[in-house]
Amino acid sequence: MNSMIDTHSHIYEPEFDADREDVVQRARQAGVEYILLPNINASSIEPMLDLCRRHQGYCFPMLGLHPEDVEPATFMQVLSDMEGLLQDTAHPFIAVGEVGLDYYWDQSNAREQEKAFRMQIEWAVRYHLPLMIHSRSAHRQLVAAISEYRDEQLSGVFHCFGGTKEEAQELLQFPNFALGIGGVLTYKKSTLPEVLSVVPLERIVLETDAPYLAPMPYRGKRNESSYVVEVLRKVAYIYNVSEEHAEAVTNDNVKRIFRRLNMR
């Protein structure tokens, strides 16, 4: 194993300020080929880009406004500023993300979340970029929003998928998308191993969501990109293939979706 891809990591966040370079080094030593970095809000753009500049060709940035950061009073201005960055043809962003809908804690800004999500889907269309989609307690609304753009050749990842078999099959009807599978797969009571019985290996990508949702045996600790190896091992076990095969297939899936990785 020498070329895993962590498709979803936030190692630019403050949780890593004390040892960020060590975290990157451990990822390299573990065999991680690329780390893909979804953005969260306006203030996370510069720390993310700084990390990508220091590890050019290894860390790759995305641009988007996370649904939990959609503030009704300011989100339109934030989105306008972000799109300005995408309008520069030399921009470094490989995807629009992390974007989507999150009604788990709070639905008071549901309308603004949906407006922001649609605007960012339109960026994906306009700038020919894939989407990194966050969805929690919003499956129906997510499917409805993406269905409106069914003719637009959208592609991307449904990050941190944790739904049912039926929900997985519904999302796989969008042909150029994969399910992002992370540490939850390794938990003792996880339903994901059973759900993946209806998901082809060609439709998943690996992720950590660092610093969140660390896999076993690190559950409860700060997650980091090197731990993606635990997700790979579990995927190989579930699909009854070698770790090398699981790695090769999931890497192909990543490079098919994130086409700018192939242009580096």
Side-chain angles (χ1 to χ4, degrees), residues 19-239:
D19 64 343
R20 185 171 290 107
E21 291 303 311
D22 293 340
V23 167
V24 173
Q25 196 55 39
R26 284 196 290 272
R28 290 182 185 273
Q29 289 168 346
V32 176
E33 180 185 10
Y34 300 137
I35 302 174
L36 312 189
L37 305 173
N39 186 55
I40 298 170
N41 53 36
S43 62
S44 62
I45 297 171
E46 194 43 48
M48 176 184 66
L49 290 177
D50 179 60
L51 180 60
C52 292
R53 283 190 288 266
R54 280 186 286 119
H55 295 280
Q56 203 161 1
Y58 189 71
C59 294
F60 294 87
M62 307 181 202
L63 188 65
L65 180 62
H66 191 288
E68 290 183 88
D69 285 82
V70 173
E71 302 287 347
T74 59
F75 81 97
M76 290 295 288
Q77 184 59 53
V78 171
L79 291 177
S80 174
D81 293 346
M82 284 185 178
E83 187 175 9
L85 298 177
L86 289 175
Q87 287 167 344
D88 178 351
T89 53
H91 76 76
F93 304 106
I94 62 164
V96 174
E98 175 176 355
V99 305
L101 302 169
D102 193 319
Y103 299 152
Y104 184 74
W105 297 111
D106 182 12
Q107 296 187 31
S108 65
N109 66 343
R111 207 168 60 205
E112 290 85 359
Q113 280 194 42
E114 291 197 25
K115 183 170 185 180
F117 185 33
R118 282 183 168 80
M119 288 175 70
Q120 293 176 102
I121 293 173
E122 285 165 14
W123 294 356
V125 174
R126 194 174 304 135
Y127 302 105
H128 309 290
L129 292 170
L131 289 156
M132 178 60 75
I133 295 177
H134 170 111
S135 173
R136 193 155 62 148
S137 303
H139 179 77
R140 293 260 61 78
Q141 296 92 334
L142 169 71
V143 170
I146 298 181
S147 295
E148 290 178 28
Y149 299 88
R150 201 177 275 279
D151 299 334
E152 298 289 357
Q153 302 296 301
L154 287 177
S155 63
V157 174
F158 296 110
H159 149 65
C160 197
F161 178 76
T164 64
K165 284 184 181 179
E166 293 72 26
E167 288 169 339
Q169 288 170 318
E170 199 165 8
L171 294 179
L172 293 178
Q173 290 173 14
F174 299 104
N176 304 312
F177 280 81
L179 305 183
I181 303 298
V184 173
L185 181 69
T186 68
Y187 298 168
K188 197 188 291 189
K189 293 184 177 175
S190 174
T191 57
L192 266 179
E194 171 63 15
V195 170
L196 289 183
S197 67
V198 301
V199 179
L201 185 58
E202 291 73 20
R203 300 297 299 277
I204 71 170
V205 297
L206 310 179
E207 63 175 40
T208 60
D209 201 18
Y212 315 106
L213 299 172
M216 298 296 287
Y218 307 103
R219 188 174 185 182
K221 301 188 169 128
R222 183 193 69 175
N223 201 0
E224 58 177 76
S225 287
S226 63
Y227 298 167
V228 76
V229 67
E230 304 299 338
V231 182
L232 173 71
R233 286 181 180 137
K234 188 71 172 184
V235 164
Y237 173 78
I238 288 167
Y239 285 91

